[in-house]
Amino acid sequence: MLYAILCYHREDVVGSWTKEEDDAVMAKLSVVHEKLAREGRLGPVARLLPTTAATTLRKDSDPPLVIDGPFAETKEQLLGFYLVEGETLEQILDTARELGRANPGGSYEIRPVGLYHPAPAPVAAGA
């Protein structure tokens, strides 16, 4: 089963990290990333740009309303996500715990993923 691990944290806290602090967190996370990759369980990982770069399409009116900014005003913002293969929820929770030890603070929301439209197979070079 494919699971999404959605990474929430206070954007102002993460945004205030120095380059050195950010690099240190990313180095700790890379240890977990490399382990998951060796196990063939790591899918795409994305770090989202700040919510100041977000645009929201509100679908509750006709025509839909386009708003500058994130979908919701909350204390923690969605900052990125992982797609991870796992046999059980407990296995994914263990992975989230490892990620949490490498990057303390915030929270992870874990959701099973149903692929609506799988990505096409990559085209070989020279094909």
Side-chain angles (χ1 to χ4, degrees):
M1 168 75 57
L2 191 60
Y3 288 86
I5 301 176
L6 307 175
C7 309
Y8 289 88
H9 205 303
R10 289 191 46 179
E11 188 174 70
D12 58 335
V13 170
V14 174
S16 70
W17 290 346
T18 64
K19 179 173 179 358
E20 291 77 20
E21 291 169 321
D22 190 63
D23 288 347
V25 169
M26 296 309 291
K28 290 178 198 172
L29 287 172
S30 71
V31 172
V32 182
H33 298 167
E34 290 168 12
K35 175 186 171 215
L36 292 169
R38 280 192 312 272
E39 294 170 354
R41 298 179 45 224
L42 184 63
V45 176
R47 188 175 200 182
L48 300 175
L49 294 178
T51 55
T52 54
T55 301
T56 300
L57 180 72
R58 299 289 310 212
K59 307 181 299 176
D60 52 358
S61 64
D62 191 19
L65 180 63
V66 177
I67 302 168
D68 287 338
F71 169 69
E73 301 269 337
T74 63
K75 290 182 180 180
E76 294 182 342
Q77 292 76 36
L78 175 63
L79 300 184
F81 62 89
Y82 292 84
L83 288 179
V84 179
E85 190 71 35
E87 294 183 21
T88 66
L89 175 59
E90 191 57 41
Q91 183 182 29
I92 297 302
L93 285 168
D94 288 343
T95 298
R97 288 180 187 108
E98 283 186 78
L99 292 167
R101 284 189 293 275
N103 185 12
S107 57
Y108 291 131
E109 177 182 344
I110 298 165
R111 292 195 200 175
V113 173
L115 290 179
Y116 174 69
H117 190 324
V123 177

